[in-house]
Amino acid sequence: MMTVAFDPTRDLTVTRLIKAPRAAVWRAWTTPKSLEQWWLPAPTKCQVVKLDLKPGGAFETRMSEDGGTFMPHVTACFLAIDDQSRIVFTDTLKGGWRPGDQPFMTAIITMKDHPEGTDYAATAMHRNSDDRGKHEEMGFHDGWGTVTAQLARLVEKDR
């Protein structure tokens, strides 16, 4: 598994110790009904359209502020799926390796065993510092921090 050096001028990251087994965190990421429960900050609703967990597979979600009409949220392509340890996706591509409409970032999600559960990290890599700045201004830390906390609550309650 290739590791990528964090570049503070282009990357943003959220980390958390999740007090649940790595297998539970993995299931929450890879099961559509579970992903829908935490992938967007509440009360926004999430709908998983595609979750084809393989390199080149599509990752599509939609969102609804009021539970009514769902709008596009993520249209991406998985680049790597390493069972129970890493998920890499990008909106630079759509499923089937097709070019994306508005390339913005590549995300690397990692999960490692910890004596108290799972070391979890979500990193968003951007082409340049301007895109990183835009993502930070859009509320990266609050948004990704919120969904990571929601993920933790979901899997920790089953402990």
Side-chain angles (χ1 to χ4, degrees), residues 78-95:
F78 288 109
L79 302 176
I81 303 291
D82 299 317
D83 191 40
Q84 295 191 32
S85 62
R86 186 175 70 144
I87 297 170
V88 182
F89 65 91
T90 185
D91 63 4
T92 301
L93 299 170
K94 298 177 188 180

Side-chain angles (χ1 to χ4, degrees), residues 21-81:
R22 187 164 42 135
V25 178
W26 182 261
R27 277 190 306 277
W29 247 106
T30 60
T31 306
K33 290 298 176 200
S34 293
L35 188 63
E36 288 177 348
Q37 293 179 55
W38 66 269
W39 180 235
L40 290 166
T44 303
K45 304 290 182 204
C46 176
Q47 183 180 68
V48 174
V49 178
K50 295 180 184 170
L51 190 65
D52 188 10
L53 295 161
K54 65 182 181 191
F59 178 33
E60 278 187 53
T61 60
R62 297 190 177 277
M63 61 186 239
S64 173
E65 297 293 331
D66 59 7
T69 303
F70 280 82
M71 312 265 304
H73 172 242
V74 170
T75 301
C77 178
F78 288 109
L79 302 176
I81 303 291

Side-chain angles (χ1 to χ4, degrees), residues 76-144:
C77 178
F78 288 109
L79 302 176
I81 303 291
D82 299 317
D83 191 40
Q84 295 191 32
S85 62
R86 186 175 70 144
I87 297 170
V88 182
F89 65 91
T90 185
D91 63 4
T92 301
L93 299 170
K94 298 177 188 180
W97 308 110
R98 301 307 249 162
D101 296 331
Q102 296 180 335
F104 186 63
M105 62 154 218
T106 296
I108 301 176
I109 310 301
T110 59
M111 301 163 218
K112 297 177 185 169
D113 286 332
H114 183 279
E116 295 181 43
T118 304
D119 274 326
Y120 179 86
T123 300
M125 300 186 315
H126 306 86
R127 325 172 253 231
N128 54 48
S129 60
D130 287 344
D131 283 354
R132 179 204 182 275
K134 285 178 200 168
H135 203 176
E136 192 167 37
E137 286 173 20
M138 289 168 48
F140 170 84
H141 292 288
D142 184 43
W144 286 47

